[in-house]
Amino acid sequence: MKIYTKTGDKGKTSLFGGTRVNKSHLRIDAYGTIDELNANLGLLRDNLGNEDLGKILYKVQNRLFVLGAILATDPEKTGVKLPAFRKEDIRFLEIEIDKMEGNLPPLKNFIIPGGHPVVSLAHIARTVCRRAERAMVLLSENSPVDGILLEYVNRLSDYLFVLGRQLAKELNINEITWHSGE
């Protein structure tokens, strides 16, 4: 199979199910942003130096492939078989957030991203995750999007925020806090 098909040369692409849409379609933007998030998580995972967190991010990346596949499917085509997305996926993130938060000082100020490249990578992934969520919400205003997908992406951005804090602690980096008036 060749990587290039020449079928997208005129600005159109196919959804799962065969429907052709413009590459500017809201659905393409939503799953494209999920793909961008996945790439950022790969970069973060490659730079972690923490095998346990790397395994968690790998699991998240796999779930993002499922999420992207669901978003890439024409909702009008009911015969397309896709892996399931489950509440357990959200619960997994919540458990991981709770574990990390149990080891972190209470949050008293906004956090300014930075302090170490790995911490910054976590915050970049978080902001891409938030953008993916916004793209999915916009899509949901025009086409069906399963609420569990929105819930997962929302929780994932929370996870990535707390992960940035956890990484700062593990790296012995002082969090950079925002103070108004400075």
Side-chain angles (χ1 to χ4, degrees):
M1 182 174 128
K2 289 188 175 193
I3 190 68
Y4 59 89
T5 62
K6 300 184 182 182
T7 59
D9 291 353
K10 294 187 175 144
K12 290 201 177 267
T13 192
S14 293
L15 299 175
F16 290 152
T19 304
R20 302 278 300 162
V21 295
N22 287 332
K23 290 183 177 182
S24 61
H25 192 282
L26 294 174
R27 187 163 294 283
I28 306 305
D29 188 42
Y31 79 73
T33 308
I34 292 295
D35 186 36
E36 182 183 352
L37 170 60
N38 209 335
N40 275 279
L41 290 178
L43 180 61
L44 173 58
R45 189 169 47 85
D46 288 345
N47 284 279
L48 273 179
N50 179 319
E51 191 174 326
D52 291 334
L53 287 176
K55 287 177 183 177
I56 292 167
L57 288 180
Y58 180 76
K59 181 174 181 171
V60 169
Q61 286 184 280
N62 275 288
R63 298 314 295 158
L64 287 177
F65 261 92
V66 172
L67 196 152
I70 293 168
L71 290 175
T73 301
D74 182 346
E76 304 291 319
K77 306 285 183 175
T78 56
V80 179
K81 296 281 187 199
L82 293 170
F85 218 85
R86 306 170 307 267
K87 282 282 192 185
E88 298 92 65
D89 297 315
I90 296 164
R91 187 68 192 128
F92 172 77
L93 293 175
E94 291 171 344
I95 290 167
E96 294 303 319
I97 290 168
D98 292 345
K99 283 184 205 173
M100 289 187 292
E101 281 191 321
N103 296 318
L104 295 170
L107 190 61
K108 295 181 180 175
N109 296 88
F110 287 107
I111 303 295
I112 296 175
H116 188 279
V118 172
V119 173
S120 295
L121 288 171
H123 284 287
I124 289 168
R126 173 187 56 80
T127 62
V128 174
C129 189
R130 288 286 190 206
R131 183 161 35 89
E133 181 182 18
R134 292 189 302 271
M136 290 168 60
V137 167
L138 184 59
L139 174 62
S140 75
E141 293 171 0
N142 298 280
S143 182
V145 174
D146 190 338
I148 196 169
L149 303 180
L150 290 166
E151 199 175 331
Y152 183 82
V153 172
N154 182 272
R155 204 68 77 253
L156 180 55
S157 65
D158 295 336
Y159 170 81
L160 292 169
F161 175 77
V162 177
L163 177 61
R165 296 193 70 213
Q166 176 67 32
L167 291 170
K169 181 180 178 185
E170 287 180 10
L171 294 164
N172 202 27
I173 303 297
N174 291 326
E175 290 181 308
I176 305 167
T177 56
W178 176 72
H179 301 280
S180 63
E182 289 184 13

